[in-house]
Amino acid sequence: MTTRLTVAQAIVRFLEQQYVERDGAETPFFAGCWGIFGHGNVAGIGEALLEREHASNRTGEHALRYHQARNEQAMVHAAVGYARHRDRLAAYACTASVGPGSTNMVTGAALATINRIPVLLLPGDVFATRVANPVLQELEDPRSLDVSVNDCFKPVSRYWDRINRPEQLPLSLLAAMRVLTDPAETGAVTLALPQDVQAEASDWDDELFARRVWRVSRQPVAEDAVARAASVIRGAERPLLIAGGGVIYSNATEAVRAFAELTGTPVAETQAGKGTLPYDHPQAVGAIGATGTTAADTLAEQADVVIGVGTRYSDFTTASKTVFANPDVRFVNLNVASFDVHKLSAEALLGDARAGLEQLSEALVGWRAPEAHTARATELARAWDETVQRAHDQAHGPLPAQAEVLGVVNRATRPQDVLVSAAGSMPGDLHKLWRTRDHKGYHVEYGYSCMGYEIAGGLGVKLAALDAEEDRDVVVMVGDGSYLMMAQELVTAVQEGVKLIVVLVQNHGFASIGALSESLGSQRFGTRYRYRTRTGLDGDKLPVDLAANAASLGARVASVTDLAGLEKALAEAQAADTTTVIHIETDPMIPAPDSPAWWDVPVAEASVLESTRAARTAYEKNKTRQRAYLSPPASPAPSSPEGSTDPTGHQ
Ligand SMILES: Cc1ncc(C[n+]2csc(CCOP(=O)(O)OP(=O)(O)O)c2C)c(N)n1
Ligand SMILES: [Mg+2]
């Protein structure tokens, strides 16, 4: 049997029938489709979504839900926020018009791919038939008419294709689904859709539209690898486990806790892995790396075996390859992606985080880290928590410090509420200071650290919580710089009746880059929002009123001047049905308690500025601490039963 549909209609029908299954639970993969229409998709994907909305309204059948956004980059952020909160088991498609609408999505694509979060991008493309070319917004590359702006998606997509003929579609759709649902492969998937092809009809085999279930099975780690890793860990005196985002996505937080309690290993967390253990678990030592706690970073410095689970070891995690300072340090990595599992010359445990941790726990029965090590980790964590408390209670004036604002928000929110942030001084402060009490309670996008993710990403998280029927407030913390870059999805939150609580921290510029700039000798140049004078951008503060701006976008707004006001406004926002923006001004010159670790940001090697020359001297000293971690895995080969290690069974 066949059905006659356009390419766009076939895509929508196909997407509606894709399901994933993990641990026996089967759920639809696509929550819907975000879109902004233009001539490149209005009568293609746009028409197809309209037909399905009509059908759904008429008969109640399952159809792809359409969401309107204000900006294509932001709609990809919303899609990513959604998919991350759903542990990558559900995602969105995003349709954009040919040209600028499409390239607006490139940043979102990079963000998705870097964070390993699935999103299906459907940029419109120029006519495949080329009869009327060049069309409005066409690139016209004189070297090849086969090039369009959508080629920009290639390096930021895990799968990229252009559908030039209807016959090509089925295989590409299946390839897209394979990548989107594979935890080792996932990221942005781009199917560029020429505007004429979207509207072209074909007779499709009905099997294309049959319900299809993609199994996300928990790949166990090979037994010989488990045995090797266990022998390395058994030799450890100062082990440290690092929990990355893969722990959360794999639902392996309980397995980490069991492993930690069984072996006495302390647990540190990356940005994406934060929340793996509640902050007050005796073996939780908090944030690792450049924005790490004194507890985690001290333990990392001395660790002889580092067990990295579901982490890609970004420079923030490794403090630019300085934080693991023990000359004999060895790594054991558990990761579903081969690309990540071999990093830092680790003993490689390729497989699912939960399955692998269970295997490792079994292989380590009877072994514990020295009691003194476990007890010391608890002590160090307690000392850091006292630092956090002091930062919350510093009573700085006349304007509060940002750390105090975080403290009030942390106290006012429930354990299950989700904190969302992405760029500026907030992620580092939150990584160190936020007391996470639920494994989905902390959502900071720090793979791409993209200014503008905050509100759009928060909208996606809230949609995900609603779809999963979870009672969670989503609290977005955003700086004035990020807000000015991309605040407009507040309109979408209002349109969708989706409630966000946005805490907007006004400090008149880029405080984070200001502090970084100063530490690197660049004197906060270009980081304050000030009027131009004869000497530069060093006049009075700009007269922007972000509270008025938020109100103009339809949000409830509370403008507060102190912490008591913030507390009251948060309580009112929690009681409200609609999105609230709470505007508070802070003192940008008061940093959060410092992390002991370093971050490699190059300083000019030659300069007339004394501040730069001083910073360069410090830089060169720090550079000498960097390590390559090239020492090959040194574990013994496992002893095999029957004297054979050949997996094929041949002697
Ligand atoms: C899209 C984008 N552009 C530039 C940067 C570099 N950057 C990182 S933080 C920052 C300033 C953020 O300002 P704001 O949101 O006010 O936060 P604050 O630093 O004041 O806490 C900049 C420019 C970035 N991360 N993302
Ligand atoms: Mg700012």
Side-chain angles (χ1 to χ4, degrees):
M1 289 281 283
T2 60
T3 304
R4 189 158 180 82
L5 297 170
T6 68
V7 165
Q9 291 159 0
I11 291 171
V12 171
R13 294 288 185 104
F14 174 87
L15 299 183
E16 287 168 353
Q17 293 305 321
Q18 305 310 301
Y19 289 75
V20 290
E21 175 271 326
R22 188 174 76 179
D23 302 332
E26 230 173 78
T27 45
F29 186 67
F30 287 101
C33 183
W34 289 90
I36 292 180
F37 297 118
H39 64 283
N41 62 343
V42 63
I45 294 282
E47 190 276 346
L49 289 168
L50 170 67
E51 273 197 16
R52 297 301 296 151
E53 186 166 295
H54 280 201
S56 167
N57 288 341
R58 229 176 20 247
T59 65
E61 68 186 282
H62 170 60
L64 212 59
R65 170 177 71 181
Y66 166 68
H67 297 282
Q68 184 186 65
R70 301 322 111 181
N71 175 294
E72 292 87 355
Q73 181 189 138
M75 74 191 185
V76 185
H77 294 336
V80 168
Y82 185 95
R84 174 166 162 184
H85 189 76
R86 299 288 307 272
D87 293 329
R88 313 192 290 199
L89 297 173
Y92 271 101
C94 296
T95 170
S97 186
V98 60
S102 289
T103 50
N104 266 356
M105 298 199 296
V106 172
T107 297
L111 183 146
T113 293
I114 287 165
N115 285 286
R116 320 276 162 84
I117 301 292
V119 60
L120 175 62
L121 304 178
L122 303 172
D125 213 325
V126 295
F127 284 78
T129 49
R130 300 180 185 164
V131 176
N133 290 23
V135 297
L136 178 69
Q137 302 167 336
E138 180 168 347
L139 177 66
E140 277 205 288
D141 186 335
R143 295 163 300 179
S144 167
L145 293 185
D146 195 40
V147 173
S148 87
V149 294
N150 288 332
D151 288 77
C152 294
F153 286 95
K154 282 181 178 169
V156 291
S157 299
R158 296 306 307 265
Y159 180 82
W160 183 98
D161 216 340
R162 183 181 278 126
I163 309 300
N164 284 311
R165 293 191 53 80
E167 296 90 324
Q168 296 171 338
L169 184 67
L171 283 183
S172 297
L173 286 175
L174 294 175
M177 286 308 299
R178 170 183 62 77
V179 173
L180 288 167
T181 58
D182 180 343
E185 288 283 308
T186 198
V189 165
T190 300
L191 298 183
L193 301 174
Q195 50 188 124
D196 49 349
V197 180
Q198 283 181 51
E200 205 172 323
S202 199
D203 296 309
W204 307 91
D205 191 328
D206 282 341
E207 286 178 352
L208 181 63
F209 311 118
R211 179 188 168 101
R212 199 174 296 261
V213 183
W214 299 83
R215 312 276 169 193
V216 184
S217 49
R218 295 189 177 275
Q219 185 195 337
V221 175
E223 281 305 330
D224 61 327
V226 173
R228 278 194 299 274
S231 86
V232 171
I233 296 169
R234 280 177 185 277
E237 305 230 307
R238 295 178 165 199
L240 175 67
L241 188 147
I242 297 177
V247 169
I248 311 254
Y249 310 143
S250 162
N251 267 334
T253 54
E254 281 307 311
V256 168
R257 181 200 286 259
F259 178 89
E261 290 173 0
L262 176 82
T263 64
T265 305
V267 176
E269 295 169 342
T270 70
Q271 283 278 10
K274 190 168 162 75
T276 292
L277 290 186
Y279 82 99
D280 53 357
H281 185 283
Q283 280 159 259
V285 296
I288 178 90
T291 51
T293 66
T294 45
D297 284 356
T298 304
L299 292 165
E301 198 179 301
Q302 297 163 356
D304 51 3
V305 174
V306 173
I307 306 163
V309 185
T311 175
R312 59 190 193 93
Y313 286 108
S314 80
D315 65 345
F316 265 82
T317 297
T318 66
S320 300
K321 303 244 170 104
T322 60
V323 82
F324 309 114
N326 182 335
D328 298 320
V329 65
R330 284 279 183 276
F331 296 86
V332 171
N333 290 347
L334 169 57
N335 207 297
V336 74
S338 157
F339 180 67
D340 292 313
V341 82
H342 291 286
K343 287 178 176 173
L344 309 191
S345 307
E347 199 66 63
L349 299 173
L350 182 64
D352 170 67
R354 192 167 97 186
L357 280 163
E358 286 166 2
Q359 290 172 278
L360 209 49
S361 292
E362 203 166 297
L364 287 167
V365 166
W367 177 81
R368 274 186 74 82
E371 275 317 314
H373 176 65
T374 311
R376 183 158 169 269
T378 305
E379 266 321 296
L380 286 167
R382 191 167 304 146
W384 176 258
D385 200 56
E386 283 165 15
T387 304
V388 173
Q389 197 59 50
R390 278 196 299 277
H392 287 176
D393 297 342
Q394 61 189 282
H396 182 73
L399 292 174
Q402 182 164 286
E404 298 175 85
V405 170
L406 303 189
V408 169
V409 177
N410 206 171
R411 266 199 312 279
T413 45
R414 303 169 302 171
Q416 75 268 31
D417 295 339
V418 189
L419 183 281
V420 179
S421 194
S425 53
M426 224 86 80
D429 291 5
L430 290 163
H431 196 208
K432 286 180 284 193
L433 304 180
W434 190 259
R435 289 166 168 160
T436 318
R437 296 155 289 170
D438 177 292
H439 74 285
K440 298 303 289 186
Y442 183 88
H443 183 124
V444 172
E445 188 284 295
Y446 213 63
Y448 212 37
S449 186
C450 186
M451 290 171 75
Y453 176 84
E454 297 86 348
I455 291 170
L459 173 61
V461 173
K462 183 65 186 183
L463 285 168
L466 289 169
D467 279 358
E469 297 181 7
E470 298 168 348
D471 170 27
R472 298 183 196 267
D473 276 334
V474 172
V475 181
V476 174
M477 297 210 61
V478 58
D480 54 321
S482 280
Y483 180 90
L484 281 170
M485 213 172 263
M486 200 171 282
Q488 60 277 53
E489 298 318 313
L490 280 174
V491 177
T492 311
V494 171
Q495 177 177 43
E496 293 281 352
V498 166
K499 174 186 157 182
L500 300 177
I501 300 173
V502 179
V503 178
L504 166 53
V505 174
Q506 168 63 282
N507 56 21
H508 301 278
F510 303 158
S512 54
I513 307 299
L516 178 68
S517 166
E518 188 168 320
S519 76
L520 302 176
S522 291
Q523 307 176 11
R524 295 186 179 254
F525 178 66
T527 62
R528 296 187 188 98
Y529 287 170
R530 300 289 169 122
Y531 280 107
R532 178 170 297 286
T533 70
R534 273 181 298 111
T535 49
L537 301 177
D538 54 3
D540 287 341
K541 286 176 187 159
L542 301 181
V544 289
D545 183 344
L546 298 183
N549 178 273
S552 78
L553 300 179
R556 267 187 85 245
V557 174
S559 217
V560 304
T561 53
D562 57 18
L563 298 176
L566 173 61
E567 221 170 297
K568 187 162 161 285
L570 281 164
E572 285 165 6
Q574 285 165 328
D577 298 330
T578 55
T579 291
T580 302
V581 175
I582 303 172
H583 180 279
I584 184 163
E585 188 158 344
T586 60
D587 186 339
M589 302 307 282
I590 306 301
D594 222 2
S595 164
W598 179 64
W599 182 38
D600 188 345
V601 180
V603 180
E605 199 171 357
S607 175
V608 294
L609 303 175
E610 179 49 42
S611 57
T612 298
R613 287 203 299 272
R616 177 71 195 189
T617 306
Y619 178 72
E620 283 172 10
K621 198 154 151 247
N622 276 315
K623 283 294 278 183
T624 62
R625 295 165 48 208
Q626 276 180 319
R627 299 267 308 275
Y629 307 118
L630 296 176
S631 165
S635 60
S639 56
S640 59
E642 269 69 68
S644 166
T645 53
D646 185 342
T648 61
H650 299 302
Q651 296 287 323

